[in-house]
Amino acid sequence: MKNDLLCVHVERETLLKALSAEAILAKSGIDLLDAARLISEISEIGGTKNIKTLRRIFSLGREAFSRKRRALSFRAAATEFLSVKSHLRKRTLSDYRQTFAAIFRADPSARDADLRSLERNADFFRALISDAFRTPRQRVKARAVLHAFFSCAVRRGWCASNPVAGVDFPMPREQEIVPLSPEEIDALFAAAEKLSLQECVPAMALMIFAGIRPREIERLSWKCINREERVVSVMPAHSKTGGCRHVSILPRAEEILRNCGVPADESRKICPPNWQRKWKKIRAAAGWTPLGKKWRQDVLRHTFASCHLKFFKNISLLQCEMGHSSAKLLHARYLSMTGITHASAGRFWSGSAAAFPRRSADEIPAAPR
């Protein structure tokens, strides 16, 4: 009799548990067969003994799912994106902010739109970028910023796809930047001497005769110059692209740096205080004024690249010096030979300014090996 009562009790408890489990599954939308498969898979990967571990797994899964389904407005997602990218340089972050500001000015309703509602709307972003930005170069840049933004949004679960991946804008045609002539380069150094701004000469020499970018030169200190190895170390923290490169100090730049001397404190910046104001003053004294010749931002780097290739005839070497991953950009943008002959390129590397006496033809440097 007792055994019969015990069996009835066990069957009753089993039935109640089964009904309870079925009710729970019904609420979750999972049927019994799927539940059995899930239990089988869990058993295969880790067993069912450690209940705490399993609960932790399910808890993490719920958190991930919640993040995946988190609703964010376009503006809120943009703010979080900027926070994620806070390690980037101030100028890069400023470009990102300006891009988002221009987009929200062009279409204020986009600010509060759910990001998921825009994730498959490539036509919307094509039209939005076209309205917010006027020039082809601005549109290509804005498209790159938004592509990076949505790639981050997909990784973080703010949306499921990148709508900007389907948006294309034609690359702007590169305008030729005519290199400076040897006389124009001489005029820059003569202006620095005339204005008693010789403290600017080392930075000028490295921009002209080593092809260092204007923004990079502002980040370099004297300890980046290795006189024994005759190289300038452009570290990732200094580089525009975030890569590292060693740029050769060729004889013309070496002579100028030697004449300038080295400060006792090599942690000092190569550019003097108020560099931008002084550099602008030198250019104005040499003839580049609003009413005179127009100064192009990258003209010194273009001059270096063109004279380097014309004289040394080694594009692989030039690619390393410039820090480019391929020679494609050199061909597309930098190599303008307008007005450059082998003789003028030789004069570029030998020097002719009064402050830095011209070398004889025998002293023109040979191509680096």
PDB file of all heavy atoms in Angstrom, residues 16 23 71 73 80 109 124 126 151 159 186 192 219 277 306-307 366:
ATOM      1  N   LEU A  16       3.340  17.246 -12.660  1.00  0.00           N
ATOM      2  CA  LEU A  16       3.315  18.689 -12.369  1.00  0.00           C
ATOM      3  C   LEU A  16       4.552  19.389 -12.935  1.00  0.00           C
ATOM      4  O   LEU A  16       4.466  20.492 -13.490  1.00  0.00           O
ATOM      5  CB  LEU A  16       3.230  18.912 -10.857  1.00  0.00           C
ATOM      6  CG  LEU A  16       1.886  18.580 -10.197  1.00  0.00           C
ATOM      7  CD1 LEU A  16       1.996  18.712  -8.676  1.00  0.00           C
ATOM      8  CD2 LEU A  16       0.792  19.514 -10.728  1.00  0.00           C
ATOM      9  N   ALA A  23       4.543  24.796 -19.700  1.00  0.00           N
ATOM     10  CA  ALA A  23       3.999  26.156 -19.626  1.00  0.00           C
ATOM     11  C   ALA A  23       5.100  27.199 -19.808  1.00  0.00           C
ATOM     12  O   ALA A  23       4.927  28.208 -20.493  1.00  0.00           O
ATOM     13  CB  ALA A  23       3.303  26.350 -18.288  1.00  0.00           C
ATOM     14  N   ALA A  71      17.570  50.021 -28.692  1.00  0.00           N
ATOM     15  CA  ALA A  71      17.125  51.053 -29.634  1.00  0.00           C
ATOM     16  C   ALA A  71      17.927  52.324 -29.384  1.00  0.00           C
ATOM     17  O   ALA A  71      17.994  52.820 -28.265  1.00  0.00           O
ATOM     18  CB  ALA A  71      15.634  51.315 -29.462  1.00  0.00           C
ATOM     19  N   SER A  73      18.837  56.270 -31.146  1.00  0.00           N
ATOM     20  CA  SER A  73      18.617  57.253 -32.199  1.00  0.00           C
ATOM     21  C   SER A  73      19.932  57.485 -32.929  1.00  0.00           C
ATOM     22  O   SER A  73      21.017  57.198 -32.414  1.00  0.00           O
ATOM     23  CB  SER A  73      18.100  58.558 -31.605  1.00  0.00           C
ATOM     24  OG  SER A  73      19.112  59.176 -30.828  1.00  0.00           O
ATOM     25  N   GLU A  80      27.836  58.158 -29.010  1.00  0.00           N
ATOM     26  CA  GLU A  80      28.563  57.006 -28.468  1.00  0.00           C
ATOM     27  C   GLU A  80      29.746  56.634 -29.364  1.00  0.00           C
ATOM     28  O   GLU A  80      30.803  56.223 -28.893  1.00  0.00           O
ATOM     29  CB  GLU A  80      27.613  55.824 -28.300  1.00  0.00           C
ATOM     30  CG  GLU A  80      26.586  56.003 -27.188  1.00  0.00           C
ATOM     31  CD  GLU A  80      26.149  54.683 -26.584  1.00  0.00           C
ATOM     32  OE1 GLU A  80      26.933  53.709 -26.664  1.00  0.00           O
ATOM     33  OE2 GLU A  80      25.043  54.622 -26.029  1.00  0.00           O
ATOM     34  N   SER A 109      15.324  65.827 -39.057  1.00  0.00           N
ATOM     35  CA  SER A 109      14.516  64.675 -38.637  1.00  0.00           C
ATOM     36  C   SER A 109      15.351  63.418 -38.450  1.00  0.00           C
ATOM     37  O   SER A 109      14.935  62.482 -37.767  1.00  0.00           O
ATOM     38  CB  SER A 109      13.406  64.415 -39.653  1.00  0.00           C
ATOM     39  OG  SER A 109      13.962  64.005 -40.901  1.00  0.00           O
ATOM     40  N   PHE A 124      18.653  56.754 -48.969  1.00  0.00           N
ATOM     41  CA  PHE A 124      18.486  57.874 -48.040  1.00  0.00           C
ATOM     42  C   PHE A 124      19.830  58.536 -47.771  1.00  0.00           C
ATOM     43  O   PHE A 124      19.962  59.770 -47.798  1.00  0.00           O
ATOM     44  CB  PHE A 124      17.873  57.373 -46.735  1.00  0.00           C
ATOM     45  CG  PHE A 124      17.880  58.390 -45.626  1.00  0.00           C
ATOM     46  CD1 PHE A 124      16.944  59.419 -45.596  1.00  0.00           C
ATOM     47  CD2 PHE A 124      18.831  58.322 -44.615  1.00  0.00           C
ATOM     48  CE1 PHE A 124      16.954  60.356 -44.569  1.00  0.00           C
ATOM     49  CE2 PHE A 124      18.849  59.257 -43.588  1.00  0.00           C
ATOM     50  CZ  PHE A 124      17.907  60.276 -43.566  1.00  0.00           C
ATOM     51  N   ARG A 126      22.612  58.291 -49.591  1.00  0.00           N
ATOM     52  CA  ARG A 126      23.172  58.869 -50.819  1.00  0.00           C
ATOM     53  C   ARG A 126      22.633  60.282 -51.026  1.00  0.00           C
ATOM     54  O   ARG A 126      23.394  61.216 -51.313  1.00  0.00           O
ATOM     55  CB  ARG A 126      22.840  57.995 -52.023  1.00  0.00           C
ATOM     56  CG  ARG A 126      23.500  58.464 -53.325  1.00  0.00           C
ATOM     57  CD  ARG A 126      23.159  57.555 -54.489  1.00  0.00           C
ATOM     58  NE  ARG A 126      23.765  56.240 -54.341  1.00  0.00           N
ATOM     59  CZ  ARG A 126      23.100  55.154 -54.013  1.00  0.00           C
ATOM     60  NH1 ARG A 126      21.785  55.206 -53.777  1.00  0.00           N
ATOM     61  NH2 ARG A 126      23.710  53.994 -53.905  1.00  0.00           N
ATOM     62  N   SER A 151      29.907  50.678 -39.457  1.00  0.00           N
ATOM     63  CA  SER A 151      30.669  49.452 -39.168  1.00  0.00           C
ATOM     64  C   SER A 151      30.786  49.253 -37.664  1.00  0.00           C
ATOM     65  O   SER A 151      30.637  48.137 -37.155  1.00  0.00           O
ATOM     66  CB  SER A 151      32.060  49.541 -39.804  1.00  0.00           C
ATOM     67  OG  SER A 151      31.967  49.580 -41.213  1.00  0.00           O
ATOM     68  N   CYS A 159      22.749  48.234 -34.887  1.00  0.00           N
ATOM     69  CA  CYS A 159      21.971  47.929 -36.092  1.00  0.00           C
ATOM     70  C   CYS A 159      22.551  46.660 -36.698  1.00  0.00           C
ATOM     71  O   CYS A 159      23.603  46.181 -36.267  1.00  0.00           O
ATOM     72  CB  CYS A 159      21.978  49.096 -37.083  1.00  0.00           C
ATOM     73  SG  CYS A 159      23.609  49.518 -37.706  1.00  0.00           S
ATOM     74  N   ASP A 186      64.708  78.833 -52.302  1.00  0.00           N
ATOM     75  CA  ASP A 186      65.719  79.757 -51.786  1.00  0.00           C
ATOM     76  C   ASP A 186      65.054  80.962 -51.128  1.00  0.00           C
ATOM     77  O   ASP A 186      65.516  81.458 -50.085  1.00  0.00           O
ATOM     78  CB  ASP A 186      66.616  80.234 -52.930  1.00  0.00           C
ATOM     79  CG  ASP A 186      67.473  79.119 -53.505  1.00  0.00           C
ATOM     80  OD1 ASP A 186      67.533  78.051 -52.872  1.00  0.00           O
ATOM     81  OD2 ASP A 186      68.064  79.321 -54.583  1.00  0.00           O
ATOM     82  N   ALA A 192      63.273  83.567 -43.988  1.00  0.00           N
ATOM     83  CA  ALA A 192      63.466  83.176 -42.589  1.00  0.00           C
ATOM     84  C   ALA A 192      64.669  83.896 -41.993  1.00  0.00           C
ATOM     85  O   ALA A 192      64.632  84.364 -40.844  1.00  0.00           O
ATOM     86  CB  ALA A 192      63.650  81.668 -42.492  1.00  0.00           C
ATOM     87  N   ARG A 219      54.477  67.485 -34.548  1.00  0.00           N
ATOM     88  CA  ARG A 219      54.476  66.493 -33.466  1.00  0.00           C
ATOM     89  C   ARG A 219      55.874  65.969 -33.146  1.00  0.00           C
ATOM     90  O   ARG A 219      56.065  65.296 -32.137  1.00  0.00           O
ATOM     91  CB  ARG A 219      53.576  65.316 -33.850  1.00  0.00           C
ATOM     92  CG  ARG A 219      52.132  65.720 -34.179  1.00  0.00           C
ATOM     93  CD  ARG A 219      51.304  64.511 -34.562  1.00  0.00           C
ATOM     94  NE  ARG A 219      49.994  64.913 -35.062  1.00  0.00           N
ATOM     95  CZ  ARG A 219      49.516  64.614 -36.259  1.00  0.00           C
ATOM     96  NH1 ARG A 219      50.234  63.861 -37.080  1.00  0.00           N
ATOM     97  NH2 ARG A 219      48.338  65.038 -36.644  1.00  0.00           N
ATOM     98  N   ARG A 277      52.083  80.773 -36.848  1.00  0.00           N
ATOM     99  CA  ARG A 277      52.137  82.213 -37.139  1.00  0.00           C
ATOM    100  C   ARG A 277      53.462  82.586 -37.795  1.00  0.00           C
ATOM    101  O   ARG A 277      53.489  83.346 -38.777  1.00  0.00           O
ATOM    102  CB  ARG A 277      51.949  82.998 -35.840  1.00  0.00           C
ATOM    103  CG  ARG A 277      51.964  84.515 -36.021  1.00  0.00           C
ATOM    104  CD  ARG A 277      51.766  85.237 -34.695  1.00  0.00           C
ATOM    105  NE  ARG A 277      52.797  84.938 -33.724  1.00  0.00           N
ATOM    106  CZ  ARG A 277      54.006  85.512 -33.729  1.00  0.00           C
ATOM    107  NH1 ARG A 277      54.315  86.406 -34.660  1.00  0.00           N
ATOM    108  NH2 ARG A 277      54.891  85.203 -32.803  1.00  0.00           N
ATOM    109  N   SER A 306      58.544  64.827 -56.290  1.00  0.00           N
ATOM    110  CA  SER A 306      58.865  65.000 -57.709  1.00  0.00           C
ATOM    111  C   SER A 306      60.371  65.099 -57.933  1.00  0.00           C
ATOM    112  O   SER A 306      60.921  64.462 -58.840  1.00  0.00           O
ATOM    113  CB  SER A 306      58.170  66.246 -58.256  1.00  0.00           C
ATOM    114  OG  SER A 306      56.765  66.116 -58.154  1.00  0.00           O
ATOM    115  N   CYS A 307      61.061  65.885 -57.099  1.00  0.00           N
ATOM    116  CA  CYS A 307      62.516  66.042 -57.256  1.00  0.00           C
ATOM    117  C   CYS A 307      63.253  64.762 -56.881  1.00  0.00           C
ATOM    118  O   CYS A 307      64.292  64.433 -57.471  1.00  0.00           O
ATOM    119  CB  CYS A 307      63.005  67.216 -56.404  1.00  0.00           C
ATOM    120  SG  CYS A 307      62.474  68.832 -56.997  1.00  0.00           S
ATOM    121  N   ALA A 366      74.624  61.063 -54.378  1.00  0.00           N
ATOM    122  CA  ALA A 366      74.213  59.919 -55.191  1.00  0.00           C
ATOM    123  C   ALA A 366      72.945  59.323 -54.593  1.00  0.00           C
ATOM    124  O   ALA A 366      72.596  59.608 -53.444  1.00  0.00           O
ATOM    125  CB  ALA A 366      75.330  58.866 -55.213  1.00  0.00           C
TER     126      ALA A 366
END
